[in-house]
Amino acid sequence: MPRRIGSTSYDENFPGSDITPDEWEFIQAVRAYQLRFKRRYPSWREVLGVLESLGYRKVAPPCEGGGLDIRMPKPGPGPGPDPPEFAPAVTG
């Protein structure tokens, strides 16, 4: 029987990758959702619903620029118009 890959082997292969109790709670909630609704790959909307069922809520307005600096790579040539360029927030 082949060795089954799970959280234990993950911890063995990646030291310092301990999963916090909050992360375990989220993992278990997503797994329960997948089993209950027979959804192997839930949509982001469904994941947000799982988070909300755990009690997560927005409590503050978003930071300037969304709080993250995520830059999408420019797409190569292809059908359709290119998305607008990333424009950093102007402070001043």
mmCIF file with all atom_site columns, all heavy atoms in Angstrom, residues 72-90:
data_model
loop_
_atom_site.group_PDB
_atom_site.id
_atom_site.type_symbol
_atom_site.label_atom_id
_atom_site.label_alt_id
_atom_site.label_comp_id
_atom_site.label_asym_id
_atom_site.label_entity_id
_atom_site.label_seq_id
_atom_site.pdbx_PDB_ins_code
_atom_site.Cartn_x
_atom_site.Cartn_y
_atom_site.Cartn_z
_atom_site.occupancy
_atom_site.B_iso_or_equiv
_atom_site.pdbx_formal_charge
_atom_site.auth_seq_id
_atom_site.auth_comp_id
_atom_site.auth_asym_id
_atom_site.auth_atom_id
_atom_site.pdbx_PDB_model_num
ATOM 1   N N   . MET A 1 72 ? -0.882  41.727 -11.141 1.00 0.00 ? 72 MET A N   1
ATOM 2   C CA  . MET A 1 72 ? -1.159  40.635 -12.058 1.00 0.00 ? 72 MET A CA  1
ATOM 3   C C   . MET A 1 72 ? -0.184  40.734 -13.231 1.00 0.00 ? 72 MET A C   1
ATOM 4   O O   . MET A 1 72 ? 0.095   41.821 -13.730 1.00 0.00 ? 72 MET A O   1
ATOM 5   C CB  . MET A 1 72 ? -2.596  40.728 -12.581 1.00 0.00 ? 72 MET A CB  1
ATOM 6   C CG  . MET A 1 72 ? -3.635  40.614 -11.480 1.00 0.00 ? 72 MET A CG  1
ATOM 7   S SD  . MET A 1 72 ? -3.602  39.030 -10.655 1.00 0.00 ? 72 MET A SD  1
ATOM 8   C CE  . MET A 1 72 ? -4.180  37.986 -11.953 1.00 0.00 ? 72 MET A CE  1
ATOM 9   N N   . PRO A 1 73 ? 0.338   39.599 -13.701 1.00 0.00 ? 73 PRO A N   1
ATOM 10  C CA  . PRO A 1 73 ? 1.223   39.645 -14.858 1.00 0.00 ? 73 PRO A CA  1
ATOM 11  C C   . PRO A 1 73 ? 0.455   40.066 -16.100 1.00 0.00 ? 73 PRO A C   1
ATOM 12  O O   . PRO A 1 73 ? -0.737  39.791 -16.227 1.00 0.00 ? 73 PRO A O   1
ATOM 13  C CB  . PRO A 1 73 ? 1.728   38.208 -14.979 1.00 0.00 ? 73 PRO A CB  1
ATOM 14  C CG  . PRO A 1 73 ? 0.718   37.390 -14.267 1.00 0.00 ? 73 PRO A CG  1
ATOM 15  C CD  . PRO A 1 73 ? 0.123   38.276 -13.205 1.00 0.00 ? 73 PRO A CD  1
ATOM 16  N N   . LYS A 1 74 ? 1.137   40.773 -16.986 1.00 0.00 ? 74 LYS A N   1
ATOM 17  C CA  . LYS A 1 74 ? 0.492   41.193 -18.225 1.00 0.00 ? 74 LYS A CA  1
ATOM 18  C C   . LYS A 1 74 ? 0.225   39.959 -19.081 1.00 0.00 ? 74 LYS A C   1
ATOM 19  O O   . LYS A 1 74 ? 1.106   39.135 -19.269 1.00 0.00 ? 74 LYS A O   1
ATOM 20  C CB  . LYS A 1 74 ? 1.380   42.181 -18.987 1.00 0.00 ? 74 LYS A CB  1
ATOM 21  C CG  . LYS A 1 74 ? 1.473   43.534 -18.312 1.00 0.00 ? 74 LYS A CG  1
ATOM 22  C CD  . LYS A 1 74 ? 2.286   44.478 -19.131 1.00 0.00 ? 74 LYS A CD  1
ATOM 23  C CE  . LYS A 1 74 ? 1.458   44.886 -20.333 1.00 0.00 ? 74 LYS A CE  1
ATOM 24  N NZ  . LYS A 1 74 ? 2.089   45.936 -21.118 1.00 0.00 ? 74 LYS A NZ  1
ATOM 25  N N   . PRO A 1 75 ? -0.989  39.829 -19.606 1.00 0.00 ? 75 PRO A N   1
ATOM 26  C CA  . PRO A 1 75 ? -1.275  38.682 -20.446 1.00 0.00 ? 75 PRO A CA  1
ATOM 27  C C   . PRO A 1 75 ? -0.577  38.816 -21.802 1.00 0.00 ? 75 PRO A C   1
ATOM 28  O O   . PRO A 1 75 ? -0.305  39.915 -22.265 1.00 0.00 ? 75 PRO A O   1
ATOM 29  C CB  . PRO A 1 75 ? -2.797  38.729 -20.597 1.00 0.00 ? 75 PRO A CB  1
ATOM 30  C CG  . PRO A 1 75 ? -3.151  40.159 -20.383 1.00 0.00 ? 75 PRO A CG  1
ATOM 31  C CD  . PRO A 1 75 ? -2.127  40.703 -19.415 1.00 0.00 ? 75 PRO A CD  1
ATOM 32  N N   . GLY A 1 76 ? -0.304  37.697 -22.382 1.00 0.00 ? 76 GLY A N   1
ATOM 33  C CA  . GLY A 1 76 ? 0.293   37.686 -23.711 1.00 0.00 ? 76 GLY A CA  1
ATOM 34  C C   . GLY A 1 76 ? -0.760  38.025 -24.747 1.00 0.00 ? 76 GLY A C   1
ATOM 35  O O   . GLY A 1 76 ? -1.934  38.224 -24.436 1.00 0.00 ? 76 GLY A O   1
ATOM 36  N N   . PRO A 1 77 ? -0.349  38.101 -26.000 1.00 0.00 ? 77 PRO A N   1
ATOM 37  C CA  . PRO A 1 77 ? -1.324  38.407 -27.043 1.00 0.00 ? 77 PRO A CA  1
ATOM 38  C C   . PRO A 1 77 ? -2.370  37.300 -27.116 1.00 0.00 ? 77 PRO A C   1
ATOM 39  O O   . PRO A 1 77 ? -2.074  36.127 -26.948 1.00 0.00 ? 77 PRO A O   1
ATOM 40  C CB  . PRO A 1 77 ? -0.481  38.467 -28.317 1.00 0.00 ? 77 PRO A CB  1
ATOM 41  C CG  . PRO A 1 77 ? 0.788   37.767 -27.989 1.00 0.00 ? 77 PRO A CG  1
ATOM 42  C CD  . PRO A 1 77 ? 0.979   37.851 -26.515 1.00 0.00 ? 77 PRO A CD  1
ATOM 43  N N   . GLY A 1 78 ? -3.573  37.678 -27.304 1.00 0.00 ? 78 GLY A N   1
ATOM 44  C CA  . GLY A 1 78 ? -4.642  36.701 -27.381 1.00 0.00 ? 78 GLY A CA  1
ATOM 45  C C   . GLY A 1 78 ? -5.949  37.393 -27.706 1.00 0.00 ? 78 GLY A C   1
ATOM 46  O O   . GLY A 1 78 ? -6.000  38.608 -27.899 1.00 0.00 ? 78 GLY A O   1
ATOM 47  N N   . PRO A 1 79 ? -7.030  36.636 -27.748 1.00 0.00 ? 79 PRO A N   1
ATOM 48  C CA  . PRO A 1 79 ? -8.314  37.239 -28.082 1.00 0.00 ? 79 PRO A CA  1
ATOM 49  C C   . PRO A 1 79 ? -8.803  38.156 -26.970 1.00 0.00 ? 79 PRO A C   1
ATOM 50  O O   . PRO A 1 79 ? -8.514  37.945 -25.803 1.00 0.00 ? 79 PRO A O   1
ATOM 51  C CB  . PRO A 1 79 ? -9.242  36.031 -28.239 1.00 0.00 ? 79 PRO A CB  1
ATOM 52  C CG  . PRO A 1 79 ? -8.605  34.949 -27.437 1.00 0.00 ? 79 PRO A CG  1
ATOM 53  C CD  . PRO A 1 79 ? -7.126  35.213 -27.507 1.00 0.00 ? 79 PRO A CD  1
ATOM 54  N N   . GLY A 1 80 ? -9.544  39.170 -27.345 1.00 0.00 ? 80 GLY A N   1
ATOM 55  C CA  . GLY A 1 80 ? -10.127 40.084 -26.381 1.00 0.00 ? 80 GLY A CA  1
ATOM 56  C C   . GLY A 1 80 ? -9.177  41.194 -25.979 1.00 0.00 ? 80 GLY A C   1
ATOM 57  O O   . GLY A 1 80 ? -7.974  41.114 -26.191 1.00 0.00 ? 80 GLY A O   1
ATOM 58  N N   . PRO A 1 81 ? -9.728  42.255 -25.397 1.00 0.00 ? 81 PRO A N   1
ATOM 59  C CA  . PRO A 1 81 ? -8.887  43.381 -24.966 1.00 0.00 ? 81 PRO A CA  1
ATOM 60  C C   . PRO A 1 81 ? -8.065  43.021 -23.738 1.00 0.00 ? 81 PRO A C   1
ATOM 61  O O   . PRO A 1 81 ? -8.445  42.173 -22.936 1.00 0.00 ? 81 PRO A O   1
ATOM 62  C CB  . PRO A 1 81 ? -9.908  44.474 -24.642 1.00 0.00 ? 81 PRO A CB  1
ATOM 63  C CG  . PRO A 1 81 ? -11.145 43.724 -24.270 1.00 0.00 ? 81 PRO A CG  1
ATOM 64  C CD  . PRO A 1 81 ? -11.134 42.466 -25.112 1.00 0.00 ? 81 PRO A CD  1
ATOM 65  N N   . ASP A 1 82 ? -6.928  43.665 -23.603 1.00 0.00 ? 82 ASP A N   1
ATOM 66  C CA  . ASP A 1 82 ? -6.089  43.473 -22.425 1.00 0.00 ? 82 ASP A CA  1
ATOM 67  C C   . ASP A 1 82 ? -6.728  44.193 -21.243 1.00 0.00 ? 82 ASP A C   1
ATOM 68  O O   . ASP A 1 82 ? -7.330  45.250 -21.404 1.00 0.00 ? 82 ASP A O   1
ATOM 69  C CB  . ASP A 1 82 ? -4.684  44.041 -22.648 1.00 0.00 ? 82 ASP A CB  1
ATOM 70  C CG  . ASP A 1 82 ? -3.872  43.185 -23.605 1.00 0.00 ? 82 ASP A CG  1
ATOM 71  O OD1 . ASP A 1 82 ? -4.201  41.997 -23.748 1.00 0.00 ? 82 ASP A OD1 1
ATOM 72  O OD2 . ASP A 1 82 ? -2.920  43.706 -24.199 1.00 0.00 ? 82 ASP A OD2 1
ATOM 73  N N   . PRO A 1 83 ? -6.590  43.637 -20.017 1.00 0.00 ? 83 PRO A N   1
ATOM 74  C CA  . PRO A 1 83 ? -7.115  44.334 -18.846 1.00 0.00 ? 83 PRO A CA  1
ATOM 75  C C   . PRO A 1 83 ? -6.316  45.606 -18.590 1.00 0.00 ? 83 PRO A C   1
ATOM 76  O O   . PRO A 1 83 ? -5.180  45.738 -19.050 1.00 0.00 ? 83 PRO A O   1
ATOM 77  C CB  . PRO A 1 83 ? -6.924  43.320 -17.713 1.00 0.00 ? 83 PRO A CB  1
ATOM 78  C CG  . PRO A 1 83 ? -5.875  42.398 -18.195 1.00 0.00 ? 83 PRO A CG  1
ATOM 79  C CD  . PRO A 1 83 ? -5.956  42.385 -19.690 1.00 0.00 ? 83 PRO A CD  1
ATOM 80  N N   . PRO A 1 84 ? -6.904  46.558 -17.847 1.00 0.00 ? 84 PRO A N   1
ATOM 81  C CA  . PRO A 1 84 ? -6.172  47.801 -17.577 1.00 0.00 ? 84 PRO A CA  1
ATOM 82  C C   . PRO A 1 84 ? -4.906  47.528 -16.776 1.00 0.00 ? 84 PRO A C   1
ATOM 83  O O   . PRO A 1 84 ? -4.831  46.558 -16.026 1.00 0.00 ? 84 PRO A O   1
ATOM 84  C CB  . PRO A 1 84 ? -7.165  48.641 -16.767 1.00 0.00 ? 84 PRO A CB  1
ATOM 85  C CG  . PRO A 1 84 ? -8.167  47.676 -16.265 1.00 0.00 ? 84 PRO A CG  1
ATOM 86  C CD  . PRO A 1 84 ? -8.202  46.522 -17.220 1.00 0.00 ? 84 PRO A CD  1
ATOM 87  N N   . GLU A 1 85 ? -3.929  48.399 -16.930 1.00 0.00 ? 85 GLU A N   1
ATOM 88  C CA  . GLU A 1 85 ? -2.659  48.277 -16.203 1.00 0.00 ? 85 GLU A CA  1
ATOM 89  C C   . GLU A 1 85 ? -2.887  48.496 -14.720 1.00 0.00 ? 85 GLU A C   1
ATOM 90  O O   . GLU A 1 85 ? -3.812  49.195 -14.320 1.00 0.00 ? 85 GLU A O   1
ATOM 91  C CB  . GLU A 1 85 ? -1.663  49.331 -16.712 1.00 0.00 ? 85 GLU A CB  1
ATOM 92  C CG  . GLU A 1 85 ? -1.164  49.076 -18.098 1.00 0.00 ? 85 GLU A CG  1
ATOM 93  C CD  . GLU A 1 85 ? -0.257  47.862 -18.171 1.00 0.00 ? 85 GLU A CD  1
ATOM 94  O OE1 . GLU A 1 85 ? 0.508   47.633 -17.241 1.00 0.00 ? 85 GLU A OE1 1
ATOM 95  O OE2 . GLU A 1 85 ? -0.356  47.138 -19.163 1.00 0.00 ? 85 GLU A OE2 1
ATOM 96  N N   . PHE A 1 86 ? -2.014  47.913 -13.892 1.00 0.00 ? 86 PHE A N   1
ATOM 97  C CA  . PHE A 1 86 ? -2.061  48.130 -12.463 1.00 0.00 ? 86 PHE A CA  1
ATOM 98  C C   . PHE A 1 86 ? -1.638  49.557 -12.179 1.00 0.00 ? 86 PHE A C   1
ATOM 99  O O   . PHE A 1 86 ? -0.584  50.002 -12.648 1.00 0.00 ? 86 PHE A O   1
ATOM 100 C CB  . PHE A 1 86 ? -1.129  47.150 -11.745 1.00 0.00 ? 86 PHE A CB  1
ATOM 101 C CG  . PHE A 1 86 ? -1.027  47.406 -10.269 1.00 0.00 ? 86 PHE A CG  1
ATOM 102 C CD1 . PHE A 1 86 ? -2.006  46.941 -9.422  1.00 0.00 ? 86 PHE A CD1 1
ATOM 103 C CD2 . PHE A 1 86 ? 0.028   48.117 -9.743  1.00 0.00 ? 86 PHE A CD2 1
ATOM 104 C CE1 . PHE A 1 86 ? -1.926  47.169 -8.055  1.00 0.00 ? 86 PHE A CE1 1
ATOM 105 C CE2 . PHE A 1 86 ? 0.110   48.345 -8.386  1.00 0.00 ? 86 PHE A CE2 1
ATOM 106 C CZ  . PHE A 1 86 ? -0.866  47.880 -7.540  1.00 0.00 ? 86 PHE A CZ  1
ATOM 107 N N   . ALA A 1 87 ? -2.443  50.295 -11.458 1.00 0.00 ? 87 ALA A N   1
ATOM 108 C CA  . ALA A 1 87 ? -2.094  51.665 -11.104 1.00 0.00 ? 87 ALA A CA  1
ATOM 109 C C   . ALA A 1 87 ? -2.013  51.765 -9.589  1.00 0.00 ? 87 ALA A C   1
ATOM 110 O O   . ALA A 1 87 ? -3.022  51.566 -8.908  1.00 0.00 ? 87 ALA A O   1
ATOM 111 C CB  . ALA A 1 87 ? -3.146  52.634 -11.643 1.00 0.00 ? 87 ALA A CB  1
ATOM 112 N N   . PRO A 1 88 ? -0.823  52.001 -9.033  1.00 0.00 ? 88 PRO A N   1
ATOM 113 C CA  . PRO A 1 88 ? -0.732  52.106 -7.582  1.00 0.00 ? 88 PRO A CA  1
ATOM 114 C C   . PRO A 1 88 ? -1.527  53.307 -7.070  1.00 0.00 ? 88 PRO A C   1
ATOM 115 O O   . PRO A 1 88 ? -1.720  54.278 -7.792  1.00 0.00 ? 88 PRO A O   1
ATOM 116 C CB  . PRO A 1 88 ? 0.765   52.279 -7.327  1.00 0.00 ? 88 PRO A CB  1
ATOM 117 C CG  . PRO A 1 88 ? 1.368   52.674 -8.613  1.00 0.00 ? 88 PRO A CG  1
ATOM 118 C CD  . PRO A 1 88 ? 0.447   52.209 -9.701  1.00 0.00 ? 88 PRO A CD  1
ATOM 119 N N   . ALA A 1 89 ? -2.011  53.187 -5.857  1.00 0.00 ? 89 ALA A N   1
ATOM 120 C CA  . ALA A 1 89 ? -2.790  54.257 -5.262  1.00 0.00 ? 89 ALA A CA  1
ATOM 121 C C   . ALA A 1 89 ? -1.917  55.501 -5.101  1.00 0.00 ? 89 ALA A C   1
ATOM 122 O O   . ALA A 1 89 ? -0.756  55.422 -4.729  1.00 0.00 ? 89 ALA A O   1
ATOM 123 C CB  . ALA A 1 89 ? -3.319  53.823 -3.911  1.00 0.00 ? 89 ALA A CB  1
ATOM 124 N N   . VAL A 1 90 ? -2.518  56.642 -5.407  1.00 0.00 ? 90 VAL A N   1
ATOM 125 C CA  . VAL A 1 90 ? -1.794  57.916 -5.286  1.00 0.00 ? 90 VAL A CA  1
ATOM 126 C C   . VAL A 1 90 ? -1.997  58.449 -3.884  1.00 0.00 ? 90 VAL A C   1
ATOM 127 O O   . VAL A 1 90 ? -3.112  58.560 -3.402  1.00 0.00 ? 90 VAL A O   1
ATOM 128 C CB  . VAL A 1 90 ? -2.333  58.931 -6.312  1.00 0.00 ? 90 VAL A CB  1
ATOM 129 C CG1 . VAL A 1 90 ? -1.641  60.268 -6.157  1.00 0.00 ? 90 VAL A CG1 1
ATOM 130 C CG2 . VAL A 1 90 ? -2.167  58.401 -7.726  1.00 0.00 ? 90 VAL A CG2 1
#
